[in-house]
Amino acid sequence: MSSEISTNTDQGLQPWQFFVLAGLGCATAVLFVARGRGVAAIVLLSLVIAATALIGLAALRTFKPLVSPEDDRTVMYGHRTRVALEREKLLALRSIKELEFDRAMGKLSDADWREMSGRLRARATRLMRQLDAGSGYREAIERDLAARLAETPLPKAPPACAVCATVNDPDARFCKGCGGKL
Ligand SMILES: [Zn+2]
């Protein structure tokens, strides 16, 4: 039974099959009511309804965890992509170092080193740019910071010294021009 459900869930037919099961249960119940017409029929009817409810409960338990993680899958996919990009970047940087080592050991000609290293550097730069563009963290932080600064605006124009008219820092207590108290 459980294996049958797990194979069916892969095809995405769960709700449809659940309703068919419920319909079959109800049809059986109606059949029993029509034939029995007694206390036994009512007992059977309640048993069938209970069984249907149990099947529904089991179906719900099976399908609920399959449906809910679906929403997180895109996030996970994005996260995995980011991790993969970072790993690729690290690999490229490590390869550049290995190339430099090989060249220092005399295993690599200068021309070969220049060509391979240039390709790896371009690749690493592209990956870093992709990571910067994809993250959006910096933009989010800057937006958050701007919103916070808008809530508590800093004094834009600090008052100039009354004696020498020197503009001092907003938190200055003494003038940096004449040393007088502000
Ligand atoms: Zn002053």
Side-chain angles (χ1 to χ4, degrees):
M1 179 75 189
S2 62
S3 65
E4 190 186 316
I5 282 177
S6 63
T7 49
N8 285 338
T9 51
D10 292 339
Q11 294 160 9
L13 291 168
Q14 319 91 312
W16 179 75
Q17 280 178 340
F18 168 67
F19 284 117
V20 166
L21 268 178
L24 280 172
C26 285
T28 316
V30 168
L31 194 72
F32 273 118
V33 168
R35 281 169 75 191
R37 290 185 189 279
V39 183
I42 293 164
V43 171
L44 270 172
L45 177 63
S46 17
L47 275 175
V48 167
I49 288 169
T52 310
L54 273 174
I55 289 168
L57 210 70
L60 200 72
R61 274 186 130 191
T62 315
F63 304 142
K64 215 174 162 187
L66 288 170
V67 173
S68 26
E70 197 112 19
D71 302 327
D72 300 332
R73 212 160 282 173
T74 48
V75 179
M76 278 300 293
Y77 179 69
H79 175 69
R80 211 177 295 155
T81 308
R82 190 178 167 75
V83 168
L85 280 175
E86 249 152 30
R87 194 175 300 151
E88 225 177 308
K89 184 191 87 182
L90 281 178
L91 273 173
L93 293 176
R94 201 181 296 162
S95 300
I96 290 169
K97 276 189 180 172
E98 276 168 11
L99 274 180
E100 254 151 41
F101 183 74
D102 283 353
R103 184 195 170 212
M105 296 292 284
K107 288 186 197 170
L108 211 64
S109 74
D110 270 12
D112 281 350
W113 169 78
R114 207 168 295 128
E115 196 226 322
M116 289 165 91
S117 187
R119 224 186 302 150
L120 279 169
R121 268 168 217 276
R123 184 186 167 87
T125 311
R126 197 177 61 236
L127 285 166
M128 280 185 228
R129 214 168 282 156
Q130 250 175 305
L131 279 165
D132 270 357
S135 66
Y137 292 141
R138 198 169 295 173
E139 286 87 345
I141 288 167
E142 269 169 15
R143 239 178 292 130
D144 189 49
L145 207 64
R148 273 159 200 257
L149 285 175
E151 279 167 28
T152 53
L154 289 168
K156 281 273 177 182
C161 176
V163 179
C164 67
T166 301
V167 177
N168 292 283
D169 292 334
D171 57 343
R173 288 161 65 200
F174 296 96
C175 175
K176 62 186 173 190
C178 65
K181 210 169 178 201
L182 290 170

